[in-house]
Structure formats: structure tokens, C-alpha cells
């Protein structure tokens, strides 16, 4: 079954009329639409999205960009502040249609329509310094679609800190942001992902990370939910001694929906991973945590920890937490767990008894709970301050 | 300032307070003593507005307001403070942040200007000095990982920062060693003033050796059955609570 969204796809809308894009468009038209009977889509319905007909937006006017950032609006680069990057650090923009489009309907759509994206290359042994931000924005107005494909390539021993910020993305739109990340031996990447609440946006964030021996990924993610906001995070610990430290929080209200699909594969010996997520769902919101860790045969000495703790703020809110460990090696240390609870009424009363109004007291407790997932990360991260705002606190302390 | 009139309170359908009367004027310290199960902590909870307590009859007036009609945060802003018998641990919420949020929320509710973080920190440091508390208290999570004594001292610290008109201390002395008890008592004494009223709820007399009350009341079976001066606490200590019950039975005969 294809959807009205697919049927409305039009060759005339292609940004460049070329064979590869025509092929991708044809594939997108006939690709199976993700249905809830598929395990990976069981808790996230794209039915409403499939009934819409978002169209590619025209390239917007240029706009100023903060230092160390590239601004993308509606899938087009509209500004960049890239003066003074260190030698050995190159951040370029633009993307070509891939020769062959693989994957699902969204990969085909991206292959057909994406015209932009950032490519960050950091040479071996080079430290790219402070945070580099990719700022994703979209306006209000007619239903639109935009697609970006980024690439981050760190040479041996290189270091970089990258913020993928979708806080400025608003609906109504279908947006896909694909980031392919390659970390050579001993490279270190700090990656921060932010999606602020946007009721009408359908956002698909696909991060695919491959780590060589001794490489290290630290990732923080903060999601306010959308319609839906889905983060597909695929991490291959492909070289011995690679490590991943992942922490994230969903802070959801209204009818917003956030979905993390983690596919973390320990493919080599001596790799470590820790994954800590916190999900807060209030009102009619829904959070999905699907965390799958695979320990491949031969990945001895693996240390993998996976945890998701959730708080439900109302009887209509829902959290679906599914931590899974699949272990094919012998000498491993693995742990996983999931809990679902509610805000502690005793703590709430304690705060109120000191004069803090009920809403603010709730926000304080929500922030404290979510912040647990962002604790224990080396260096300064931008997300704890963003969390305060998302939790509804007027100021961060 | 506080007038409790014929207060009846039930918890889960069971009558706990059965016609309690109490009047506290500014500057007065009232001790409420009584055996376990008499309703002491229920009184504290009802005054602070904890959920799960049903007032079936009677009234509580604070200044000119119906205290029972106010939300817990409104009571705090009106000047009522409860020192908890079991202070709640809230990991991840910084003590200073919490106190400033509370302090400024109260000021905002009263239409007073809020303090910025520098002004607030100055005020907090003064209070720490008066109470001889270590500064690291400010940087920790609210009661998180605190010893029993530290939690109780943190309650007194909060009271010192918030400067309530009426402080209700619910068995703040329980579980304290003699040094911690003395520190808590010094904290209370340093806050005694002609404008401030205290209700000290306690099971034992020993707190009253350090904080000498103006009045002592004996709470038994949901009512105040005996009131007197500070000497009453000593008599209770000597004779036990059964002595009061016996006297009541004798008086009724």
C-alpha cells in the first residue's frame, strides 16, 4: 500500500532533473510505507503523515549565522559562520544524489530531493576545538518537505564536538536529517542532538556511526517530541576498544511523540557502551525507547549497559520501553533495565510547602530526573541548559 | 495569629483529631507533647496542607485567612513553615537553587521584588554563619545523602532563610544526638522574635530543656487535654503520659 504522500510525489518538484534522482523518486513512490505491524514501527504511527502532501520548499533567502555554525532552513544552507576554523578542519556544504538509492521510503526521498548538507572533515591528530553547530530551521506556512544529508569524518586521533540542533525546526513539515559518521582509530566525537517540541513537524533523525579501534563517541540527545520525532541511532563499535557513552531525555507534553531506535553493535573485542535514557511523558504524550544492543560472536571483553527510566505525568501518557540485549559472545558484562514510575508526591509536597507553586515544583523535579541521563559526561555540554527550558523552568542554575 | 477551633480530622476514614483548640500569638512558643498516635503529626500535616487529611469539622484561621482553604504554597507565602519530621530527599535539585526558588516564589506571591543570585547568596551565607553550618550544604542536592542530623539542621536552615511568621516543627528533635539537638535548639532560639510564633511538636521533653516554651500542651487521643507553663513538661517527664490520662479520668469522675 502506498500513501497519498507517495502518490503526490512529482518529477516536476525534483531540484535537479537527473537520472539518479528520477530513479530514487520512482523508488519512493512504490516503497512500502512503514506500518505498525513492523516491529521497528510498532509504537510510532506514520498514518497521519502518509495522508499529507508536503512539497519541497523554494530556497529561502540568506540569513546571518552565529559563529562556528551553519544554518540550514527548509533543507537549504542559508548562512555560515566558519571563519577561523583550525588548520586541518574543513566544513563544506552541498550534497549530490547518490548513484544508487538504498533503504526505505525516507532514504529514497532523501536521495531524490536532498540538495544540501554539511561535511565535516577533521585531519588525523587535529582537534577541531569548541562546538560546531549545524542549525536546522524551518518556518511556518504551507506543508513542506526537506531533507539534509550530513557527513562527519574524523581521522586517526582527531577530535570534534558537533551540535545537531533542530530546535528551530517547526512544522508543518516532513524533515529528514541523515548523518553518516566515521571515526578512525582513536578519534573522539562529542555529538549533541536537540529537538525542541514542534507539534506539526514530522522529523526523522538518522545517525549512523562507525567507530574504529579505540575511537570514542559521546552523545547527548534531548527531545521535546514532534509528530513524531524519531531518532534512529545506529552505532557500530567496529574496532577493538572503541567506546560509546550515550545519554538522552525525552520531555514530552501535549500530544507530542518521541521515539528512539537504538541499534548498537559490539562487533570487536574490548568495547564498552553505556546508554542512559530518561523519558517524561505528560498529558497525552508518548515516548518510545527501543534500545537494542548486539554483542557479536568474538566481541569478548564487551561491557554494555543499557537503562531507561520513565515517569508518567498523566493517565493518558504512554511510555513504551524495550531494552534488548542480544549476546553471541561468552566473556561479556552486560546489564539492562527499564523502570516506569510517577513523580514522587512527597517531593512535590515538600517543594510546595516551601512556597514553590505546583507547576514550578513539577518542572524542578522533571528537570532533576531528566538531568540524570546527562550527568557524568566530561566537558561542557549545551544540553543541560536546554533541558531547563524544555522542562518549563524560567532559568537554569 | 493562629486560631485552631474545634478541629476534627480523619485519615482514611479514621478520626485522628477530635476537637483540637489552640491559639498562638506572635512571639509565643507553644510546645505540643503527647504519646505516639495522639495526632501530633496529623496536626502538623493539616497546618501545612498535606493531601490525604480530611477536615470533618472545625476551622483554622491564620491572621485573617482561612488557612485550610489555601494551597500548600499559598500557606508558605502567607508565612507558615513546617519543619518536616522526615525531610524528603530530592537528588538532582541543588539546595541553593531550591531555596532561592522557594524564597523568590514567596516574595513574588506577596508582591515583593525577587532577589538575584548574588543578593540571595549573600543572605544565605549570613544565615549559615548564624547557625554555624558548613557551606557545602549549599552545593548538595536537597537532603540527598544527608544524615538524619543534617536533614534536621537543613530544615532549620530553610526556616532561617525563609523567615516565616509561624514555624511548626514536627518532632525535629527525634533521632538527634545531643550535639545536633543543641544546634537545632540554638537555631530555633536565634529565630525567636516578638513577631514570630512557634509550635514545637515533640515526644520528649529534652528539646524543651534548650528551647524553653511559653506554653506546654498535652495532646492525647486527638484533643489537648492539659495546658500549662514550661513546668508541665517536667511533670510529664517525671510521671509519663499515663499520668495525664489518669488525671483526666479522675477529674471527670
Amino acid at each position: 500500500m502506498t500513501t497519498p504522500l507517495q502518490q503526490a510525489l512529482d518529477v516536476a518538484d525534483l531540484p535537479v532533473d537527473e537520472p539518479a534522482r528520477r530513479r530514487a523518486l520512482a523508488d519512493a513512490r512504490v516503497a512500502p510505507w512503514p506500518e505498525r505491524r513492523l516491529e521497528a514501527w510498532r509504537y510510532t504511527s506514520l498514518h497521519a503523515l502518509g495522508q499529507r502532501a508536503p512539497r519541497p520548499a523554494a530556497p529561502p533567502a540568506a540569513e546571518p549565522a552565529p559563529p562556528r555554525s551553519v544554518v540550514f532552513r527548509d533543507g537549504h544552507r542559508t548562512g555560515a559562520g566558519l571563519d577561523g576554523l583550525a588548520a586541518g578542519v574543513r566544513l563544506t556544504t552541498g550534497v549530490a544524489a547518490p548513484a544508487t538509492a538504498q533503504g526505505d521510503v525516507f532514504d529514497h526521498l532523501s536521495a531524490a530531493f536532498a540538495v544540501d548538507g554539511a561535511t565535516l572533515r577533521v585531519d588525523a591528530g587535529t582537534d577541531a576545538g569548541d562546538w560546531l553547530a549545524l542549525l536546522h530551521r524551518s518556518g511556518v506556512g504551507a506543508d513542506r518537505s526537506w531533507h539534509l544529508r550530513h557527513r562527519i569524518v574524523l581521522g586517526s586521533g582527531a577530535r570534534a564536538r558537533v551540535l545537531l540542533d533542530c530546535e528551530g525546526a517547526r512544522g508543518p513539515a516532513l524533515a529528514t536529517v541523515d548523518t553518516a559518521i566515521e571515526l578512525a582509530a582513536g578519534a573522539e566525537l562529542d555529538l549533541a542532538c536537540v529537538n525542541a517540541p514542534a507539534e506539526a513537524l514530522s522529523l526523522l533523525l538518522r545517525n549512523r556511526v562507525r567507530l574504529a579501534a579505540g575511537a570514542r563517541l559521546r552523545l547527548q540527545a534531548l527531545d521535546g517530541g514532534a509528530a513524531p520525532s524519531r531518532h534512529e541511532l545506529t552505532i557500530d563499535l567496529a574496532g577493538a576498544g572503541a567506546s560509546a557513552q550515550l545519554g538522552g531525555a525525552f520531555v514530552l507534553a501535549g500530544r507530542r511523540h518521541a521515539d528512539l531506535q537504538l541499534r548498537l553493535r559490539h562487533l570487536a573485542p574490548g568495547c564498552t557502551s553505556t546508554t542512559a535514557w530518561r523519558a517524561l511523558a505528560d498529558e497525552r504524550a508518548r515516548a518510545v525507547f527501543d534500545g537494542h544492543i548486539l554483542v557479536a560472536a568474538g566481541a569478548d571483553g564487551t561491557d554494555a549497559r543499557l537503562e531507561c527510566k520513565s515517569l508518567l505525568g498523566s493517565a493518558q501518557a504512554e511510555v513504551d520501553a524495550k531494552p534488548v540485549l542480544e549476546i553471541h559472545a561468552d566473556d561479556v558484562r552486560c546489564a539492562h533495565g527499564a523502570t516506569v514510575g510517577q513523580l514522587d508526591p512527597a517531593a512535590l509536597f515538600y517543594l510546595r510547602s516551601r512556597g514553590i507553586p505546583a507547576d514550578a515544583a513539577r518542572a524542578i523535579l522533571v528537570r532533576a530526573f531528566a538531568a540524570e541521563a546527562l550527568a557524568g559526561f566530561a566537558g561542557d555540554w549545551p544540553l543541560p541548559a536546554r533541558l531547563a527550558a524544555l522542562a518549563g523552568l524560567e532559568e537554569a542554575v | 495569629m493562629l486560631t485552631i477551633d474545634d478541629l476534627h480530622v480523619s485519615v482514611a476514614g479514621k478520626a485522628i483529631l477530635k476537637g483540637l483548640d489552640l491559639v498562638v500569638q506572635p512571639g509565643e512558643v507553644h510546645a505540643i507533647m503527647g504519646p505516639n498516635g495522639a495526632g501530633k503529626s496529623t496536626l502538623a500535616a493539616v497546618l501545612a496542607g498535606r493531601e490525604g487529611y480530611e477536615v470533618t469539622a472545625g476551622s483554622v484561621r491564620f491572621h485573617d485567612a482561612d488557612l485550610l482553604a489555601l494551597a500548600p504554597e499559598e500557606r508558605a507565602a502567607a508565612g507558615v513553615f513546617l519543619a518536616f519530621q522526615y525531610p524528603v530527599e530530592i537528588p538532582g535539585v541543588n539546595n541553593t537553587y531550591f531555596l532561592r526558588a522557594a524564597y523568590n516564589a514567596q516574595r513574588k506571591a506577596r508582591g515583593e521584588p525577587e532577589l538575584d543570585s548574588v543578593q540571595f547568596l549573600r543572605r544565605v551565607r549570613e544565615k549559615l554563619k548564624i547557625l554555624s553550618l558548613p557551606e557545602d550544604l549549599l552545593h548538595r542536592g536537597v537532603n540527598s545523602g544527608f544524615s538524619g542530623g543534617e536533614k534536621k539542621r537543613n530544615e532549620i536552615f530553610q526556616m532561617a532563610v525563609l523567615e516565616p511568621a509561624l514555624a511548626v516543627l514536627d518532632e525535629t528533635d527525634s533521632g538527634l544526638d545531643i550535639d545536633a539537638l543543641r544546634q537545632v535548639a540554638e537555631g530555633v532560639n536565634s529565630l525567636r522574635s516578638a513577631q514570630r510564633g512557634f509550635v514545637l511538636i515533640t515526644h520528649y521533653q529534652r528539646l524543651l530543656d534548650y528551647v524553653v516554651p511559653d506554653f506546654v500542651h498535652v495532646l492525647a487521643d486527638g484533643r489537648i487535654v492539659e495546658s500549662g507553663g514550661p513546668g508541665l513538661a517536667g511533670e510529664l517527664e517525671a510521671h509519663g503520659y499515663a499520668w495525664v490520662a489518669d488525671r483526666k479520668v479522675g477529674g471527670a469522675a
Side-chain angles (χ1 to χ4, degrees):
Chain A
M1 270 293 282
T2 59
T3 57
L5 181 145
Q6 291 167 283
Q7 289 151 21
L9 294 173
D10 190 341
V11 174
D13 284 338
L14 285 177
V16 186
D17 190 357
E18 56 188 9
R21 291 184 187 273
R22 279 179 170 257
R23 272 199 305 277
L25 181 76
D27 290 342
R29 272 209 184 107
V30 298
W33 189 251
E35 305 264 1
R36 293 185 60 184
R37 60 188 162 74
L38 299 171
E39 188 57 28
W41 290 95
R42 187 163 161 199
Y43 302 106
T44 296
S45 168
L46 295 183
H47 179 77
L49 172 64
Q51 306 310 304
R52 287 161 37 189
R55 304 267 310 273
E63 59 192 300
R68 298 184 69 79
S69 78
V70 182
V71 177
F72 296 95
R73 185 177 290 277
D74 289 331
H76 299 267
R77 186 190 103 143
T78 49
L82 296 176
D83 298 334
L85 291 186
V89 181
R90 276 154 294 148
L91 183 46
T92 55
T93 54
V95 68
T100 56
Q102 293 174 326
D104 68 359
V105 61
F106 299 108
D107 294 313
H108 299 314
L109 287 172
S110 178
F113 291 104
V115 290
D116 226 330
T119 297
L120 172 67
R121 290 180 188 276
V122 182
D123 289 348
T126 301
D127 187 339
D130 202 6
W131 291 93
L132 289 162
L134 304 181
L135 304 174
H136 303 83
R137 297 174 180 165
S138 60
V140 293
D143 198 357
R144 66 194 77 192
S145 64
W146 51 269
H147 308 274
L148 287 166
R149 284 206 306 280
H150 304 311
R151 222 177 143 201
I152 298 172
V153 182
L154 303 192
S156 301
R159 302 180 62 164
R161 320 190 81 189
V162 178
L163 169 65
L164 278 181
D165 191 343
C166 294
E167 182 161 14
R170 295 278 182 259
L174 161 63
T176 67
V177 180
D178 255 61
T179 306
I181 300 171
E182 295 152 53
L183 306 184
E188 290 190 24
L189 176 67
D190 288 353
L191 184 64
C193 304
V194 181
N195 174 32
E199 196 95 49
L201 177 73
S202 300
L203 176 66
L204 180 56
L205 205 59
R206 284 186 164 158
N207 290 315
R208 302 177 172 100
V209 191
R210 186 171 175 86
L211 293 86
R216 177 197 291 273
L217 169 71
R218 297 190 201 90
L219 179 146
Q220 291 194 352
L222 188 59
D223 203 326
S229 167
R230 178 161 158 123
H231 183 181
E232 297 181 0
L233 178 58
T234 304
I235 298 170
D236 283 349
L237 301 172
S243 70
Q245 181 184 11
L246 315 175
F250 299 137
V251 182
L252 312 178
R255 301 181 73 95
R256 284 183 280 273
H257 184 123
D259 177 351
L260 174 75
Q261 297 285 323
L262 172 67
R263 300 292 177 266
L264 173 55
R265 292 186 286 207
H266 282 254
L267 302 174
C271 295
T272 61
S273 69
T274 59
T275 304
W277 232 257
R278 294 291 180 274
L280 293 122
D282 204 355
E283 297 169 348
R284 302 176 70 84
R286 186 162 186 184
V288 181
F289 174 88
D290 185 344
H292 187 124
I293 295 184
L294 171 87
V295 181
D300 295 328
T302 287
D303 190 333
R305 278 145 218 286
L306 175 65
E307 119 191 327
C308 178
K309 295 184 180 174
S310 307
L311 288 184
L312 288 171
S314 88
Q316 286 79 43
E318 183 171 329
V319 174
D320 302 289
K322 200 176 75 166
V324 177
L325 281 171
E326 188 183 335
I327 302 171
H328 300 282
D330 293 327
D331 173 25
V332 299
R333 295 200 327 175
C334 294
H336 72 307
T339 61
V340 180
Q342 289 171 337
L343 280 185
D344 177 9
L348 205 51
F349 175 65
Y350 190 76
L351 296 177
R352 293 180 69 191
S353 79
R354 297 300 182 246
I356 300 173
D359 284 349
R362 252 180 234 111
I364 287 172
L365 295 178
V366 160
R367 197 263 296 256
F369 178 77
E372 290 175 11
L374 308 180
F377 280 74
D380 289 333
W381 288 72
L383 267 58
R386 300 283 194 91
L387 172 61
L390 195 54
L393 293 173
E394 286 169 9
E395 58 179 324
V397 173
Chain B
M1 63 193 328
L2 178 74
T3 306
I4 304 176
D5 184 24
D6 192 31
L7 185 65
H8 287 69
V9 176
S10 295
V11 179
K14 183 169 186 276
I16 305 291
L17 296 183
K18 303 167 183 174
L20 186 142
D21 298 301
L22 181 69
V23 176
V24 178
Q25 300 295 351
E28 294 178 353
V29 176
H30 291 248
I32 296 186
M33 304 183 69
N36 288 327
K40 300 192 299 292
S41 286
T42 296
L43 174 62
V46 168
L47 291 178
R50 190 190 290 271
E51 283 182 10
Y53 295 81
E54 189 194 354
V55 176
T56 53
S59 66
V60 179
R61 299 202 63 81
F62 182 65
H63 293 307
D64 292 326
D66 174 4
L67 189 70
L68 301 177
L70 302 180
E73 57 268 30
E74 294 170 328
R75 298 181 196 203
V80 177
F81 177 90
L82 171 65
F84 281 53
Q85 184 179 2
Y86 303 108
V88 183
E89 294 199 20
I90 313 180
V93 178
N94 172 281
N95 219 4
T96 308
Y97 173 79
F98 155 65
L99 260 180
R100 186 154 77 93
Y103 184 79
N104 278 336
Q106 290 197 17
R107 289 180 69 95
K108 193 174 170 186
R110 292 192 292 259
E112 299 162 6
E114 300 178 31
L115 294 192
D116 68 27
S117 58
V118 175
Q119 294 169 314
F120 184 73
L121 211 57
R122 194 178 305 136
R123 176 186 175 80
V124 156
R125 291 222 167 92
E126 280 166 21
K127 299 295 181 184
L128 282 176
K129 208 179 290 170
I130 293 168
L131 300 175
S132 356
L133 291 169
E135 180 150 339
D136 87 308
L137 195 70
L138 298 177
H139 310 303
R140 295 163 67 179
V142 177
N143 295 319
S144 181
F146 285 27
S147 70
E150 286 175 323
K151 284 181 185 169
K152 298 299 178 75
R153 283 155 65 193
N154 195 23
E155 295 291 285
I156 302 303
F157 171 55
Q158 291 174 32
M159 177 170 77
V161 171
L162 297 172
E163 295 186 335
L166 173 71
V168 180
L169 278 64
D170 186 10
E171 302 207 15
T172 298
D173 53 334
S174 67
L176 294 186
D177 64 27
I178 195 70
D179 290 336
L181 179 70
R182 205 172 282 159
Q183 278 178 316
V184 163
E186 280 168 13
V188 172
N189 284 330
S190 72
L191 292 166
R192 285 180 78 156
S193 83
Q195 290 77 43
R196 184 168 294 131
F198 283 89
V199 176
L200 305 180
I201 294 172
T202 179
H203 188 70
Y204 301 105
Q205 185 227 338
R206 56 177 199 163
L207 175 65
L208 308 182
D209 291 342
Y210 300 99
V211 183
V212 180
D214 301 301
F215 303 94
V216 174
H217 311 276
V218 179
L219 178 60
D221 193 27
R223 278 187 211 92
I224 286 175
V225 294
E226 181 93 28
S227 296
L232 179 57
E235 289 192 56
L236 280 169
E237 188 78 3
H239 302 295
Y241 289 116
W243 166 73
V244 175
D246 290 347
R247 275 165 37 109
K248 286 290 131 182
V249 172

